[in-house]
Amino acid sequence: MSNPSIVFVTLSFLALSYVTSVTAIPGGRTKVEDVATNKEVQAVGKYSVEEYNRLKGDNDGPLMFVKVVEAEKQVVSGMKYYLTIEAVNKTSGEVKVFEAVVVVKAWLRKKELVRFAPSQKTTTILQPVW
Ligand SMILES: *[C@@H]1O[C@H](CO)[C@@H](O)[C@H](O)[C@H]1NC(C)=O
């Protein structure tokens, strides 16, 4: 005895699951909507600035992390974050926008800074970089 509405709900659910799994396939880059409150994204952003400072060989560091303003993530072997970051240049005292790419391998407790560079953007972020 099959109830048509239950069949419909089940099919809708399956269709939705399918769409969800398709959008989560490795290689797909998705925008992080809750950047401001996303602790993982903000922590990864802070890490990228600290790592940049460390690689510069300057203990105090040329940059001070302010916040991540935009982020996209991509499933690779781990999670790859594409971040737009505000940081203070301690030399000039200016707030500058930087772009960072970080790969997080949580199971290895490992983060890798792939890229860190000044962004062309200086003020309000209106469009994604990538
Ligand atoms: C910080 O500002 C100084 C002076 O404008 C500049 O020479 C330096 O490259 C800047 N550092 C970074 C990391 O942007």
Side-chain angles (χ1 to χ4, degrees), residues 42-109:
Q42 295 297 330
V44 171
K46 189 166 192 291
Y47 158 83
S48 74
V49 172
E50 286 167 357
E51 184 68 1
Y52 173 80
N53 284 341
R54 195 179 67 79
L55 294 173
K56 281 278 162 180
D58 182 345
N59 270 343
D60 195 22
L63 295 177
M64 192 176 76
F65 174 73
V66 177
K67 65 184 174 198
V68 177
V69 292
E70 259 186 14
E72 287 183 359
K73 62 181 185 177
Q74 181 179 27
V75 177
V76 289
S77 63
M79 188 64 84
K80 194 169 188 178
Y81 288 97
Y82 299 83
L83 307 174
T84 303
I85 293 173
E86 280 180 13
V88 176
N89 180 327
K90 288 189 195 169
T91 310
S92 63
E94 289 175 298
V95 177
K96 292 278 188 190
V97 181
F98 296 87
E99 288 161 16
V101 179
V102 178
V103 174
V104 178
K105 298 185 177 187
W107 68 98
L108 297 175
R109 300 180 187 284

